[in-house]
Amino acid sequence: MEMVEMETMRWLPLILSVLLVLFNLHGSFAAFSPADNYLIACGSPQNVSFQGRTFAPDSVQSSFVLKGQGNSVAATSSSSVPSPIYQSARIFASTASYKFKIQQEGRHWVRLYFYPLPDSGHNLASATITVITDDFVLLNNFSFESYNSSYLFKEYSINVTSDTLTLTFIPMNNSATFVNGIEVVSVPDVLIPDQALVLFPSSPFNGLSDLSLETVFRLNMGGPLLTPQNDTLGRIWENDMKYLHVNSSAVNVLVNPSTIRYTMSVTSEIAPNWVYATAESMGDPNVPNQNFNVTWVFPVDPNFMYFIRLHFCDIVSRTLYDLVFNAYINSDTAISSLDLSTLTGNLATPYYKDFISNSSIDSDTITVSVGPDTMADITGAILNGLEIMKISNDARSLDGLISVEGLLPKSSKNSKIGIIVGAALGTLATVGLIAFCYCCLIVHRSKTTHQGPSWLPLPLYGNSQTMTKVSTTSQKSGTGSCISLASSNLGRLFMFQEIMDATNRFDESLLLGVGGFGKVYKGTLEDGTEVAVKRGNPRSEQGLAEFRTEIEMLSKLRHRHLVSLIGYCDERSEMILVYEYMANGPLRSHLYGTELPSLSWKQRLEICIGAARGLHYLHTGSAQSIIHRDVKTTNILLDENFVAKVADFGLSKTGPALDQTHVSTAVKGSFGYLDPEYFRRQQLTEKSDVYSFGVVLMEVLCSRPALDPALPREQVNIAEWAMSQQKKGMLDHIIDPTLVGKVINAASLKKFGETAEKCLAEYGVDRPSMGDVLWNLEYALQLEETSLALTEPEDNSTNHIPGIPMTPLDPFDHSASMIDGVNAGTNDDPEDTATSAVFSQLVNPRGR
Ligand SMILES: *[C@@H]1O[C@H](CO)[C@@H](O)[C@H](O)[C@H]1NC(C)=O
Ligand SMILES: *[C@@H]1O[C@H](CO)[C@@H](O)[C@H](O)[C@H]1NC(C)=O
Ligand SMILES: *[C@@H]1O[C@H](CO)[C@@H](O)[C@H](O)[C@H]1NC(C)=O
């Protein structure tokens, strides 16, 4: 076998590009010919040749229909345009769609090209882009203003199951929208399977065919950039270098691409031979220490699951059976003792494997590593290619939590006004005039469109459909600022300068934590109030949706046991939320891992009761219940008096209406706390929070993390471990040693253990409601207090305790009396009275 090995040369891609031209790429395999192959240059007056393909103008409407009018614009000078496909665009001032006839059902690439043409006569850079298919949300409210590249290319893989595919472009926030190029191209069925392996907890995942995917990374390890000219499926494969964790840990390997031996199971459609002919490999065998991993790190949105495909091809060995290694995704072993020779029977023969994973615990990244298998006594490891695709969530979205139904206006009756924008704007010269016109339009719009997103019980911002950037005063006067987002419903609007002052210019020494949304700083307002300032990454397109979710949620919810939102700041495309400061920080830090004094049993019970009240309020306090989705000990915060408050609604979503059995959402949340049923079925109910809360209860009892990989296998997962102990009646053997020997009432402990056990039931229907959990915990507290007061042995948890009504503790009992009992128990403070007022307002929309 001819072999060219090269040292680590960072200019290799250059050489490769030249080689790429020299080698004959064609001829060895018949190219796939797609049944549907739409390549469209939107708004273009003529054919556009791009990446070796011809894109036809969208004015030639042969087999697709453009519904709704749009302005076409073409760049006057093409020199500044990133590539030819971006030199024209179609601009829509109102909802419009392209409807494609589909010859052959099955997966299709939908590729979208966006570039805000500077000389279009419109401010396209501030336009928002929302794109949906018949069933899926592809892009939701994207704007170039908060994006760090001049153009946007998106690739989706969508299983079309009817004879048409409609792509709908929805202008939002009263701006226009646009698109430069569209591809709708058939994909061979074999490319994306229905099943892949979920890594943690390890289980097969079925049903991928019904889901949509978005390509986020597609890499040709150690090789050159491959463009549609080099790939029969029109894919782009990037070089991996910028994702390598330690740049020098890997060396590039390259063989002649024509030596790659495709098989029946791996054809050139899976990946072009250039992907398999190059690899990153674990250094040179002469390096003394071969015991390291080659690792790549990818930033991802932690709210989605990802489809991960690893491509391998042994181009490094001189004989068979000379390469055995491990592959890891995050810290999980994806493939152990991977022996390509045994799997493929030959050298230079491609192999790939698919996985499904979230981002790694507590971070927004996916890491992929290959490294030596210490058992095998053979060094060396390779990776040839890698694809990471985002999987649509249960809202059938690839961008945020809002479904197609939530985005499409209920009726398009009053959407005609939009078209005038294009006509009017072109003639306006000054920025001021444009801005004025824009404001008028927004005002006009917000008066004419009234319907809120269908899944919200109440209009959130007075009468505007979404978060329109018009203040109430400017609506009345027709003048004033168009920029500030102002509404009394949303708490205080902070100036960016105020935030800078409060946090000492985001002083890292004031950092309280880092979450999926961004960093959290401690701040002090001018009046001395201490606050927690949560600063979203201003460039994150994902973040905006969560920012809104969070403002929407928090501004509606006021409860003694929920962390309250004081205000927010959206100046300079910042996304900053200001919360009340919780002096004692997260519950977790009082349980383990710090030097803080150990909490007493009574304190622990009170904290759990507080958190349960907060969650119970979320589940039942408004007309539609709200599921927290990320209940964990770091999201339960303690104020200066150790009052527990539930935090972090960035992941929250309105729960099921009464007549529905579940609500669709992405599998979110944190490992160790994830409801197994939610993970299996991707169906979210309040019972998923109950499960996570059960994990919290066990953590509180045992003072150890939900997942502790350092422990023996059977103890790693607290839910499994504590349940096995509880079932054997040995829960008291694993409780926090600092509690042992202190006054801790056996009946109280028993009640607590039983409650946690019920929460951790395998199936949601078997778990109690949050109200029942609360009731049981209060009961456990009563048992503890009574025993403290009377020092009377309480060995029977069914004893009647004065002050607690004898209600059957039936987890299926959702009777109103149970809820009433709980409310009665919470009326001990004035804030809860205020809560009741909010409660009744939310339940009864006519109250507004
Ligand atoms: C555009 O391309 C199509 C297909 O490649 C071809 O049939 C058509 O004649 C071309 N039109 C022009 C104006 O060049
Ligand atoms: C597309 O979806 C249909 C219906 O769910 C399914 O039968 C088919 O196998 C899917 N195709 C692919 C390529 O996943
Ligand atoms: C490689 O990474 C995995 C997963 O993080 C880890 O378990 C393993 O110990 C690492 N191997 C080496 C040699 O560092």
Side-chain angles (χ1 to χ4, degrees):
M1 195 178 87
E2 188 193 329
M3 182 109 35
V4 185
E5 282 201 23
M6 295 197 174
E7 293 297 321
T8 315
M9 286 187 292
R10 288 314 168 202
W11 39 275
L12 184 71
L14 249 172
I15 305 179
L16 288 173
S17 319
V18 178
L19 284 175
L20 200 57
V21 180
L22 299 180
F23 279 116
N24 181 9
L25 293 173
H26 316 287
S28 42
F29 296 95
F32 166 75
S33 101
D36 298 301
N37 193 19
Y38 295 98
L39 306 176
I40 294 165
C42 304
S44 173
Q46 75 262 319
N47 280 355
V48 173
S49 173
F50 174 53
Q51 294 175 328
R53 296 169 300 164
T54 303
F55 285 66
D58 60 354
S59 50
V60 185
Q61 298 184 11
S62 51
S63 44
F64 70 91
V65 186
L66 173 58
K67 228 176 85 195
Q69 267 156 294
N71 286 11
S72 59
V73 288
T76 45
S77 71
S78 57
S79 58
S80 63
V81 173
S83 45
I85 191 65
Y86 297 109
Q87 70 197 7
S88 67
R90 189 164 292 277
I91 301 173
F92 305 107
S94 59
T95 301
S97 52
Y98 289 87
K99 188 171 182 179
F100 298 92
K101 273 207 190 77
I102 297 298
Q103 304 290 331
Q104 196 175 325
E105 294 180 12
R107 281 210 180 260
H108 285 69
W109 299 124
V110 172
R111 298 190 176 111
L112 302 174
Y113 299 84
F114 303 97
Y115 172 67
L117 283 164
D119 49 2
S120 66
H122 302 251
N123 182 3
L124 294 185
S126 69
T128 61
I129 301 171
T130 298
V131 187
I132 60 175
T133 69
D134 310 77
D135 304 309
F136 289 93
V137 177
L138 305 184
L139 268 171
N140 181 6
N141 222 341
F142 171 86
S143 165
F144 277 95
E145 268 179 351
S146 49
Y147 190 61
N148 57 5
S149 173
S150 67
Y151 63 94
L152 177 70
F153 168 69
K154 288 278 185 183
E155 180 186 273
Y156 304 93
S157 164
I158 291 162
N159 184 357
V160 183
T161 52
S162 77
D163 55 4
T164 59
L165 170 69
T166 307
L167 292 178
T168 302
F169 294 79
I170 308 173
M172 291 175 92
N173 298 349
N174 306 293
S175 76
T177 191
F178 68 98
V179 60
N180 303 72
I182 301 176
E183 291 180 42
V184 174
V185 183
S186 301
V187 173
D189 282 346
V190 296
L191 192 68
I192 309 286
D194 184 56
Q195 194 191 70
L197 186 70
V198 176
L199 282 172
F200 191 91
S202 179
S203 57
F205 178 96
N206 294 297
L208 264 181
S209 15
D210 291 330
L211 303 175
S212 288
L213 304 172
E214 177 188 338
T215 309
V216 283
F217 299 100
R218 182 182 287 126
L219 304 180
N220 179 17
M221 266 56 196
L225 171 74
L226 303 180
T227 59
Q229 282 105 316
N230 322 116
D231 184 326
T232 52
L233 299 188
R235 290 166 293 195
I236 291 172
W237 301 76
E238 239 190 306
N239 178 263
D240 63 300
M241 208 191 307
K242 67 178 184 229
Y243 305 103
L244 262 179
H245 182 51
V246 179
N247 219 329
S248 59
S249 65
V251 292
N252 303 139
V253 188
L254 158 76
V255 296
N256 182 337
S258 63
T259 62
I260 298 302
R261 301 181 172 102
Y262 282 111
T263 60
M264 293 287 280
S265 48
V266 188
T267 65
S268 61
E269 259 82 63
I270 298 298
N273 54 3
W274 265 101
V275 170
Y276 292 116
T278 62
E280 294 281 6
S281 156
M282 269 188 68
D284 138 11
N286 301 321
V287 171
N289 184 5
Q290 286 288 309
N291 196 18
F292 66 89
N293 287 332
V294 181
T295 299
W296 294 262
V297 181
F298 304 94
V300 295
D301 180 343
N303 302 324
F304 285 85
M305 295 206 299
Y306 291 83
F307 174 84
I308 301 171
R309 173 168 290 176
L310 306 178
H311 296 269
F312 301 99
C313 184
D314 185 354
I315 53 171
V316 294
S317 301
R318 282 159 209 284
T319 59
L320 281 172
Y321 312 110
D322 206 14
L323 182 68
V324 178
F325 59 97
N326 291 342
Y328 308 90
I329 293 175
N330 297 331
S331 46
D332 301 313
T333 304
I335 315 175
S336 72
S337 306
L338 175 61
D339 174 1
L340 291 170
S341 299
T342 303
L343 288 166
T344 63
N346 227 324
L347 294 176
T349 308
Y351 173 78
Y352 68 93
K353 199 155 168 61
D354 300 329
F355 301 94
I356 289 178
S357 181
N358 269 9
S359 60
S360 52
I361 303 169
D362 290 337
S363 91
D364 305 351
T365 58
I366 285 180
T367 60
V368 174
S369 315
V370 291
D373 174 16
T374 44
M375 306 294 190
D377 198 29
I378 299 176
T379 57
I382 57 164
L383 187 61
N384 302 64
L386 174 67
E387 292 172 271
I388 301 183
M389 302 177 100
K390 194 197 262 184
I391 303 175
S392 58
N393 61 24
D394 248 22
R396 296 180 94 69
S397 172
L398 285 157
D399 191 359
L401 301 173
I402 303 174
S403 64
V404 163
E405 293 73 31
L407 283 170
L408 267 187
K410 275 196 205 100
S411 72
S412 45
K413 277 180 222 142
N414 38 23
S415 61
K416 288 180 195 111
I417 44 162
I419 299 165
I420 60 165
V421 184
L425 279 189
T427 55
L428 294 176
T430 67
V431 176
L433 276 175
I434 290 173
F436 179 77
C437 178
Y438 211 82
C439 282
C440 295
L441 184 72
I442 290 166
V443 174
H444 184 36
R445 271 266 175 120
S446 49
K447 279 176 189 157
T448 49
T449 54
H450 267 245
Q451 64 275 56
S454 54
W455 48 276
L456 287 171
L458 289 173
L460 288 170
Y461 307 105
N463 57 3
S464 62
Q465 184 176 354
T466 47
M467 203 189 264
T468 44
K469 297 209 164 190
V470 181
S471 69
T472 337
T473 48
S474 71
Q475 281 198 25
K476 283 193 190 109
S477 60
T479 57
S481 154
C482 313
I483 305 145
S484 76
L485 179 160
S487 163
S488 54
N489 293 351
L490 296 179
R492 177 171 162 195
L493 174 60
F494 286 90
M495 316 270 288
F496 187 64
Q497 191 55 47
E498 284 176 275
I499 303 283
M500 294 277 278
D501 294 345
T503 58
N504 197 11
R505 312 184 77 82
F506 299 105
D507 188 342
E508 292 290 305
S509 69
L510 295 174
L511 203 58
L512 293 173
V514 183
F517 179 88
K519 291 181 172 176
V520 187
Y521 298 85
K522 185 182 174 183
T524 311
L525 300 182
E526 241 175 5
D527 64 0
T529 313
E530 290 186 315
V531 292
V533 174
K534 200 170 171 188
R535 185 188 198 191
N537 178 358
R539 292 201 162 144
S540 144
E541 51 178 292
Q542 276 309 320
L544 197 62
E546 273 187 23
F547 186 59
R548 288 179 180 169
T549 310
E550 190 133 2
I551 298 187
E552 285 168 10
M553 290 293 164
L554 285 170
S555 49
K556 279 192 300 180
L557 301 168
R558 297 280 164 198
H559 189 272
R560 179 171 151 81
H561 294 289
L562 297 180
V563 175
S564 11
L565 178 75
I566 294 173
Y568 66 97
C569 168
D570 65 346
E571 217 176 292
R572 308 190 200 172
S573 61
E574 287 280 349
M575 297 189 295
I576 295 170
L577 294 168
V578 180
Y579 296 91
E580 65 177 314
Y581 177 65
M582 300 292 287
N584 275 309
L587 168 59
R588 174 185 276 178
S589 60
H590 297 270
L591 295 175
Y592 48 84
T594 63
E595 302 286 294
L596 295 171
S598 167
L599 298 169
S600 72
W601 180 238
K602 186 161 176 269
Q603 273 179 312
R604 293 181 199 218
L605 279 172
E606 283 166 349
I607 288 165
C608 292
I609 288 170
R613 278 192 191 155
L615 289 171
H616 175 61
Y617 172 76
L618 282 181
H619 290 179
T620 60
S622 55
Q624 270 185 300
S625 97
I626 291 158
I627 299 166
H628 186 289
R629 316 221 275 166
D630 200 13
V631 176
K632 54 183 176 183
T633 44
T634 46
N635 278 341
I636 296 169
L637 304 181
L638 304 175
D639 74 3
E640 65 281 11
N641 301 316
F642 284 88
V643 172
K645 304 195 183 201
V646 177
D648 201 351
F649 299 90
L651 298 175
S652 303
K653 183 177 180 197
T654 312
L658 290 173
D659 55 340
Q660 287 171 304
T661 52
H662 77 278
V663 65
S664 315
T665 38
V667 169
K668 287 183 154 195
S670 304
F671 287 114
Y673 295 89
L674 266 184
D675 168 7
E677 188 172 50
Y678 173 24
F679 205 88
R680 271 197 310 272
R681 298 170 56 204
Q682 291 200 52
Q683 289 183 353
L684 183 74
T685 68
E686 295 93 335
K687 297 297 180 67
S688 307
D689 281 353
V690 174
Y691 182 90
S692 306
F693 192 70
V695 178
V696 167
L697 293 181
M698 289 302 191
E699 247 181 291
V700 166
L701 187 66
C702 307
S703 294
R704 54 151 282 190
L707 283 182
D708 187 350
L711 290 170
R713 187 78 202 164
E714 72 278 10
Q715 301 184 19
V716 167
N717 184 327
I718 197 175
E720 279 170 25
W721 176 235
M723 282 294 267
S724 71
Q725 296 303 103
Q726 166 72 10
K727 285 192 173 127
K728 284 189 251 167
M730 286 163 58
L731 193 62
D732 52 337
H733 287 63
I734 62 165
I735 68 172
D736 182 349
T738 68
L739 291 174
V740 179
K742 298 232 173 101
V743 190
I744 168 166
N745 176 280
S748 171
L749 177 63
K750 184 160 174 262
K751 182 90 261 167
F752 190 90
E754 283 168 6
T755 309
E757 183 185 0
K758 282 183 200 146
C759 291
L760 292 173
E762 183 75 14
Y763 297 99
V765 291
D766 299 333
R767 296 176 204 142
S769 71
M770 230 31 241
D772 297 340
V773 173
L774 177 53
W775 201 92
N776 279 276
L777 291 174
E778 283 178 331
Y779 192 91
L781 179 63
Q782 288 281 345
L783 289 168
E784 176 71 10
E785 282 176 339
T786 318
S787 78
L788 286 174
L790 306 175
T791 51
E792 204 180 71
E794 285 291 349
D795 52 354
N796 185 350
S797 62
T798 56
N799 273 0
H800 180 71
I801 301 300
I804 296 192
M806 283 298 285
T807 318
L809 295 180
D810 177 5
F812 299 102
D813 182 7
H814 300 282
S815 64
S817 66
M818 185 72 80
I819 305 289
D820 288 345
V822 167
N823 280 346
T826 59
N827 275 342
D828 52 1
D829 57 54
E831 281 195 60
D832 271 309
T833 324
T835 300
S836 313
V838 175
F839 182 98
S840 50
Q841 226 181 1
L842 287 171
V843 168
N844 178 10
R846 278 168 299 170
R848 289 223 169 168

